[in-house]
Amino acid sequence: MSQLLTAAEMRDVEAAAIATGEVTGAELMARAGAAVVAAIRAEWEGELPTQPRAVVLAGPGNNGGDGFAIARGLRDLGWSVRVLLAGQAGALPPDARAQHDRWAAGGAARGAVLPLTLETLRDEPAADIYVDALFGIGLGRPLGGDLARVVAHLAGADGTLGLYQPRMVAVDVPSGLDADSGRVPGDPAGAAAVRARLTVTFDSPKPGHYLGHGPDLCGRLVVADIGLAHARARQGAARGLAPARTRVVPPLGIADPRRSVWPDIAGLLTKRQGHKYQHGHAMVLTGGVGRGGAARMAAKAALRIGAGAVTLGCPPAAVLESASHVDALMLHRVPDAAALTEALSGGRITALCLGPGLGTGEREAALVGAALDWGGAVLLDADAITLMAGEATLAAKLHDRCLLTPHPGEFRRLFPDIAGRLDDPDPSLRYDEAADADAQARSRAAREDLAAQRGPMMSTLDAAREAAAHCGATVLLKGPATAIAAPSGAAVVHRAVYDRAAPWLATAGAGDVLAGLACGLLARGLAPPVAAELAAQIHVDAALSFGPGLTAEDLPRQVPQVLARYLAP
Ligand SMILES: NC(=O)C1=CN([C@@H]2O[C@H](COP(=O)(O)OP(=O)(O)OC[C@H]3O[C@@H](n4cnc5c(N)ncnc54)[C@H](O)[C@@H]3O)[C@@H](O)[C@H]2O)[C@@H](O)CC1
Ligand SMILES: [K+]
């Protein structure tokens, strides 16, 4: 499973399934409820008393409806269950109302529903499990009033985190978290949302489970099948989005690490016999004297990932320095842009990497210009991005064989308008259509997709997509969950969170290695979005395989192990 659905897409899929008559909304809600009950039993197995007690917090929409279905499911298992409802039963949407009525039919003793207020919640005797069914994918704005206080209390504002978080299961998303962006409307710090030990979502994960505060708030993420796979595939195909517009990589739910990558990974990486230049020739530009380390690290990574040959392009004064460091790399003097153009015009170089440790002077700006004028595969990182941010005519040369790998700060420099909207805590400030007239000219289809995918808050994924559509190149926006977007609108979220969290990867030089891996793959002929996706994965797998204590220099050395795992028969 590898598809990510925004809230709007999830609604589409549900509506399409219901419209064909193959399932009803009520049935979907019953399946959702049953899936959460099963996930609770699995998660807390062996930890609960003989007759556990649950408190279900039900909200005013269908998430609340799931809550009533869960309450009934737990009661049927012999649990003692209390439901606290935010709002009036009469105002619930029909499916949720029906679940409420089935629950309440248990009578005052077995099916009691109390109004949810901070007071009623505080007065409740402690429970073994709390079910957060307040808001799911329908959260549309910042929480306010008493509900905001309730959520703040659940989130630990009163020193109560230790009481709730270890016992909290969130239905679909922790309430307060925006399912599309991983942001918390009205609270950039993310404190105004429930913190769960377990989150059970339905059919497909949502971007917000991986981006922003999502992983922190969700705890463990379970994706439950509620029988919508066919409707999802049909819906995707109908929109021309098949097989999947936004994927999460590696795909979920496959334990075998060799298969936790997409099926043709071995095909992409296996070297067939042939001359070294048949596997591509990458050139990595270095900075001046004493500044070559970053580029050398990138070059080693490019070599490890299987580029047939790698040449360091150095300013003349720095040739000697690099020569004393690395034997397997070739060296080439690149005094200026004209020399670079000449080197590239020979037809041997199949991909160029520039940025790590490059410098940001006039010579380097001219190098970026020459690299982009070449028209071949170019990876632009670090200083190259900073240079483009300062010089609009450089950025205007970007094309679809380019791959940009900014960290958030570099992204902000190069795309200040997009980043400005991304930073804004006000969810009413959405994707700005007028500002994107350029992208409109480039690709109407991509734009329409962007519109269809948009939620109430902009995400880093939206930002990468907008940036890619805007500049016409593939953009890899770094983060714990890396967002990679092609100009066509196709995108992936690389999940280095949950079981793939590698916090030790935040080490100096790790970004240079990522650039080198991606450049090596470009040199081997992979298209920029594929090279980016694969490089991000190998980068994280290398970090996971080394473990804590990692330095950037260790990363290229881990690559053979990682490849061996992928390529094992
Ligand atoms: N048939 C279906 O549609 C299914 C829905 N499912 C559940 O339904 C959920 C989506 O249901 P809904 O679309 O009703 O959305 P939610 O239940 O997430 O929330 C919508 C309700 O909350 C209110 N609301 C939104 N933001 C608010 C705020 N800041 N302050 C106060 N009130 C606010 C809305 O006005 C609306 O009443 C999913 O997350 C999932 O849990 C599942 O049962 C699967 C089937
Ligand atoms: K919830």
Side-chain angles (χ1 to χ4, degrees):
M1 183 199 304
S2 65
Q3 195 159 6
L4 278 183
L5 293 181
T6 62
E9 289 169 330
M10 182 69 198
R11 278 183 216 291
D12 274 7
V13 169
E14 277 171 358
I18 291 168
T20 61
E22 67 196 37
V23 70
T24 61
E27 175 60 24
L28 286 176
M29 197 171 275
R31 290 180 194 167
V36 176
V37 170
I40 291 173
R41 297 181 74 183
E43 175 76 17
W44 275 273
E45 194 190 358
E47 290 182 36
L48 296 170
T50 348
Q51 201 206 12
R53 181 166 192 282
V55 169
V56 176
L57 309 161
N62 287 319
N63 199 245
D66 292 350
F68 283 104
I70 295 161
R72 207 156 41 82
L74 293 176
R75 189 179 64 190
D76 290 349
L77 291 173
W79 290 41
S80 137
V81 186
R82 169 88 86 190
V83 182
L84 304 182
L85 172 65
Q88 301 299 319
L92 287 167
D95 293 335
R97 177 67 200 262
Q99 286 295 341
H100 164 275
D101 293 350
R102 289 181 72 181
W103 163 257
R110 298 189 68 229
V113 180
L114 295 182
L116 171 63
T117 64
L118 190 52
E119 283 63 43
T120 54
L121 178 57
R122 278 189 171 144
D123 289 349
E124 246 336 285
D128 300 297
I129 296 290
Y130 293 86
V131 178
D132 162 22
L134 288 171
F135 299 101
I137 58 174
L139 182 82
R141 54 188 186 277
L143 295 168
D146 200 48
L147 262 178
R149 284 189 286 279
V150 165
V151 167
H153 177 72
L154 294 170
D158 307 315
T160 41
L161 187 62
L163 170 63
Y164 294 115
Q165 191 275 340
R167 297 170 178 80
M168 185 69 72
V169 51
V171 180
D172 215 357
V173 287
S175 297
L177 179 72
D178 171 46
D180 287 340
S181 64
R183 299 169 65 188
V184 175
D187 180 15
V194 169
R195 304 185 83 87
R197 163 167 157 180
L198 172 70
T199 294
V200 185
T201 191
F202 309 117
D203 181 70
S204 298
K206 317 297 176 294
H209 290 123
Y210 295 105
L211 302 173
H213 299 297
D216 217 23
L217 297 173
C218 290
R220 211 167 74 76
L221 179 66
V222 167
V223 183
D225 182 5
I226 56 169
L228 287 171
H230 283 114
R232 169 159 38 83
R234 268 199 317 271
Q235 211 34 21
R239 282 233 214 112
L241 304 184
R245 202 63 180 141
T246 308
R247 289 175 299 123
V248 57
V249 293
L252 309 173
I254 302 169
D256 181 348
R258 280 166 299 173
R259 296 182 53 218
S260 72
V261 289
W262 67 101
D264 56 351
I265 188 168
L268 291 170
L269 289 173
T270 303
K271 279 197 171 186
R272 305 214 157 57
Q273 285 195 334
H275 194 271
K276 65 184 173 190
Y277 292 115
Q278 283 170 331
H279 300 295
H281 186 163
M283 176 178 260
V284 181
L285 298 187
T286 77
V289 177
R291 298 201 52 191
R296 284 194 295 273
M297 204 124 68
K300 281 182 211 165
L303 203 54
R304 286 272 189 204
I305 202 58
V310 180
T311 292
L312 279 171
C314 315
V319 169
L320 200 61
E321 170 191 319
S322 279
S324 66
H325 274 93
V326 269
D327 295 333
L329 302 172
M330 293 182 273
L331 295 168
H332 189 84
R333 286 166 185 268
V334 181
D336 54 20
L340 178 61
T341 301
E342 198 189 325
L344 295 174
S345 67
R348 276 214 156 168
I349 306 293
T350 52
L352 178 70
C353 166
L354 73 172
L358 183 68
T360 52
E362 276 178 29
R363 168 185 172 273
E364 289 73 31
L367 291 176
V368 173
L372 293 173
D373 285 340
W374 170 47
V378 181
L379 184 134
L380 299 117
D381 186 41
D383 288 348
I385 295 173
T386 302
L387 283 164
M388 286 189 292
E391 177 58 70
T393 55
L394 289 180
K397 291 175 190 270
L398 284 164
H399 53 77
D400 64 2
R401 300 193 65 197
C402 297
L403 169 57
L404 274 62
T405 52
H407 62 54
E410 289 157 357
F411 185 90
R412 194 164 286 121
R413 255 173 259 155
L414 187 55
F415 304 105
D417 298 346
I418 298 173
R421 278 176 288 121
L422 188 58
D423 289 343
D424 202 298
D426 179 354
S428 68
L429 270 178
R430 297 181 182 184
Y431 178 80
D432 177 356
E433 315 225 351
D436 207 27
D438 250 22
Q440 187 166 12
R442 260 183 232 277
S443 163
R444 181 167 297 279
R447 255 182 50 80
E448 281 168 5
D449 272 2
L450 289 177
Q453 306 237 348
R454 215 157 65 226
M457 294 191 85
M458 190 166 167
S459 68
T460 49
L461 175 64
D462 297 328
R465 264 209 173 95
E466 261 195 66
H470 179 79
C471 74
T474 296
V475 174
L476 178 156
L477 175 53
K478 292 171 195 169
T482 290
I484 302 166
S488 67
V492 305
V493 170
H494 181 90
R495 50 183 186 97
V497 291
Y498 299 109
D499 53 327
R500 284 179 60 78
W504 51 91
L505 191 46
T507 179
D512 307 325
V513 174
L514 177 66
L517 292 172
C519 179
L521 293 168
L522 288 173
R524 294 186 63 181
L526 300 193
V530 182
E533 178 177 337
L534 197 41
Q537 171 150 339
I538 292 166
H539 195 232
V540 171
D541 281 342
L544 288 171
S545 106
F546 189 93
L550 174 94
T551 68
E553 277 155 21
D554 301 317
L555 282 167
R557 288 186 213 126
Q558 291 303 118
V559 168
Q561 263 188 47
V562 171
L563 292 183
R565 266 207 330 260
Y566 294 168
L567 300 177

